Amino acid sequence: MSNMDKQQHLDLANDYANEADELEAGAINAAEVAIASIKAGELEEALDLLKTAAENVKGAAIDRTFQKQHEEAAEKDA
């Protein structure tokens, strides 16, 4: 990461933040639809949706880690 300047780090941090936001929103949506599926007795669909939600949460956590790393690198380049 040291070959990047401050603005490049900030741009990447912003990209990772946006991706994490999208993944988190997708996880919430999947969980809400899973609840509706459970109420409708569609348990297999609900399980698939909950798996999707979990994967989105994992992806968002990874993106947040990269976001933080680039923000810290930008601070060092300041």
Side-chain angles (χ1 to χ4, degrees), residues 3-55:
N3 294 341
M4 295 184 206
D5 66 19
K6 178 181 178 179
Q7 189 58 49
Q8 288 172 314
H9 283 296
L10 291 174
D11 290 345
L12 277 172
N14 187 55
D15 290 345
Y16 281 116
N18 290 337
E19 180 66 22
D21 290 345
E22 289 178 22
L23 287 168
E24 290 165 350
I28 291 166
N29 185 54
E32 290 172 344
V33 176
I35 291 167
S37 295
I38 290 168
K39 289 178 180 178
E42 299 168 1
L43 300 182
E44 197 160 321
E45 180 180 343
L47 181 59
D48 289 342
L49 288 162
L50 290 173
K51 287 178 184 176
T52 298
E55 288 300 316

